[in-house]
Amino acid sequence: MWLSCSSVGRKFVMALTGACLVLFVTFHCLMNAIAICWPAAYNSICEFLGANWYALIASAGLALLFIIHIIYAVMLTLQNRKARGNDRYAITKRPKTVEWSSQNMLVLGIVILAFLVVHLIQFWAKMQLQEIRGAEGMLPPAAGTLFLQEAFSCVWTPIVYIIGFVALWFHFNHGFWSMFQSIGWDNQVWIARLKKVACWWSTIVVLLFIAQAIVFTVKANDDYYKNNEDLRIQYLEMVGAMCEKDFGPDAAQIVSQINSMPYEVAAQQIPQALEQMNSQKSIPGFDQQMEANPQMKKSFETQLKLFESYKVLFDYLNSDNKDNAEDAAQAAPEANPQPEN
């Protein structure tokens, strides 16, 4: 097949997938900017891009682009090494920056891939993947700002991200103009223009990424994403939506009442109500009373598990240290409680 067997075809596929990835990286940069300017809107976007069919298709398509880009990069590198033979060991004059990028695109790609794996573990695996698995419970998967809090409160996160962004600049800068060269835009006038566009575009995007990582780190270490009042109210609504999804109509009325409360009131009253409900279970004859009235038992258990879900959030948001959500979640017996029939 021409696209996979010929050198020109492989370069065309690299250029096409590279162009799509450039657009995605730019979109991601703009989305991160929203997290700084309007954190609540960022969470709304995360909710929109959750485990919905359109988001899943887009995620699968993006993953396919990455895989194809990586496979063809390896194929072209091996092809070039085979064509050069022993010439690749010859001593040459130290190349310029872009030429260095050209000779090390695979290495830069490997660094970016390692960075991408870290990024996916910190965000995608805890957000969209959790929704796909149906394992919601410790933190609302749509609460992107809480996962910014989790990730950037770690000392090593900004270091890893900045290293990844520097590698991205070299890869982005060379790959942008070379993909046009691969499809025939290789005259001296256009190449000079495209190199300038590539330098400006890649520099702006990467500098914004680095600035965003610094801002996220500062805010996370100040517990901004845990203490902001507007975000706390939004987190309550997200937990309520999760409970309605898990427990159905039985939880709708309680969730509506909680959502109408100020955050501080809910954070005080719900743990107290949960403590009272747990103490009721030790009253003599309580179990027999529940068994005699299945409807009452189901309502009690639903309300109990619903309050436990909220308490996990309160414990995490009210914690003064940088513990992970998993530590706060130990107070709840189940990560994704389901009502008994």
Side-chain angles (χ1 to χ4, degrees):
M1 187 177 178
W2 173 71
L3 290 176
S4 59
C5 297
S6 70
S7 176
V8 175
R10 291 172 181 174
K11 289 181 179 179
F12 176 78
V13 173
M14 282 288 292
L16 182 61
T17 55
C20 294
L21 295 176
V22 165
L23 293 175
F24 168 74
V25 168
T26 304
F27 164 77
H28 202 331
C29 181
L30 296 175
M31 183 173 171
N32 286 354
I34 295 175
I36 293 176
C37 302
W38 194 359
Y42 174 75
N43 285 336
S44 298
I45 295 174
C46 291
E47 188 171 15
F48 176 76
L49 298 176
N52 304 299
W53 65 268
Y54 44 83
L56 294 176
I57 292 175
S59 298
L62 183 62
L64 183 61
L65 286 174
F66 270 108
I67 293 171
I68 293 174
H69 195 75
I70 293 169
I71 291 174
Y72 274 75
V74 173
M75 290 171 63
L76 283 171
T77 300
L78 295 177
Q79 174 183 309
N80 292 337
R81 285 178 176 270
K82 183 177 180 180
R84 288 197 304 267
N86 294 330
D87 290 343
R88 67 179 182 271
Y89 299 108
I91 298 176
T92 59
K93 183 179 179 180
R94 177 175 291 184
K96 296 179 181 180
T97 302
V98 171
E99 293 176 348
W100 179 89
S101 301
S102 176
Q103 294 182 358
N104 293 275
M105 286 295 278
L106 183 62
V107 175
L108 291 169
I110 292 173
V111 174
I112 295 170
L113 179 61
F115 160 67
L116 177 62
V117 170
V118 173
H119 186 62
L120 290 175
I121 292 173
Q122 289 184 323
F123 291 94
W124 179 80
K126 297 179 180 180
M127 298 173 72
Q128 191 178 74
L129 181 60
Q130 289 296 89
E131 287 192 68
I132 295 172
R133 294 176 58 240
E136 305 170 8
M138 285 185 271
L139 291 179
T145 50
L146 284 183
F147 296 105
L148 289 174
Q149 173 73 37
E150 283 291 286
F152 285 94
S153 59
C154 299
V155 175
W156 56 267
T157 296
I159 299 173
V160 171
Y161 274 54
I162 290 174
I163 292 173
F165 293 148
V166 171
L168 177 64
W169 184 88
F170 283 104
H171 197 85
F172 191 157
N173 186 29
H174 174 76
F176 184 93
W177 66 262
S178 64
M179 69 183 178
F180 288 98
Q181 186 181 51
S182 298
I183 60 175
W185 290 18
D186 56 353
N187 64 74
Q188 293 301 317
V189 175
W190 271 106
I191 284 298
R193 292 172 178 173
L194 289 170
K195 285 184 177 180
K196 289 181 180 180
V197 172
C199 184
W200 277 102
W201 194 335
S202 59
T203 300
I204 291 172
V205 169
V206 168
L207 286 179
L208 284 174
F209 270 135
I210 293 175
Q212 289 162 1
I214 293 172
V215 172
F216 292 152
T217 300
V218 172
K219 287 191 173 184
N221 282 277
D222 287 340
D223 284 343
Y224 170 83
Y225 300 112
K226 294 165 69 174
N227 296 327
N228 181 272
E229 190 65 28
D230 292 335
L231 291 178
R232 284 184 164 190
I233 294 173
Q234 191 178 38
Y235 301 149
L236 277 182
E237 294 173 352
M238 290 179 176
V239 172
M242 289 167 51
C243 290
E244 287 190 37
K245 178 182 176 182
D246 289 339
F247 305 122
D250 292 341
Q253 184 176 359
I254 303 173
V255 168
S256 178
Q257 292 175 353
I258 294 174
N259 288 343
S260 65
M261 298 179 183
Y263 173 83
E264 295 299 333
V265 174
Q268 180 180 14
Q269 291 187 1
I270 291 177
Q272 292 176 352
L274 179 62
E275 184 178 355
Q276 291 174 359
M277 293 181 71
N278 282 322
S279 64
Q280 288 179 21
K281 294 192 294 184
S282 61
I283 297 176
F286 177 83
D287 291 338
Q288 292 79 359
Q289 183 182 2
M290 289 292 104
E291 293 298 331
N293 192 332
Q295 185 62 34
M296 182 184 294
K297 178 182 179 182
K298 181 181 179 181
S299 176
F300 181 87
E301 291 178 345
T302 297
Q303 188 171 350
L304 182 68
K305 292 174 182 178
L306 187 150
F307 286 169
E308 287 170 347
S309 298
Y310 277 101
K311 189 174 184 299
V312 171
L313 177 69
F314 295 140
D315 288 345
Y316 175 71
L317 295 181
N318 295 333
S319 61
D320 295 327
N321 51 31
K322 301 298 185 296
D323 292 340
N324 292 331
E326 287 81 358
D327 296 331
Q330 289 178 356
E334 299 180 18
N336 185 28
Q338 297 292 339
E340 296 180 7
N341 295 325

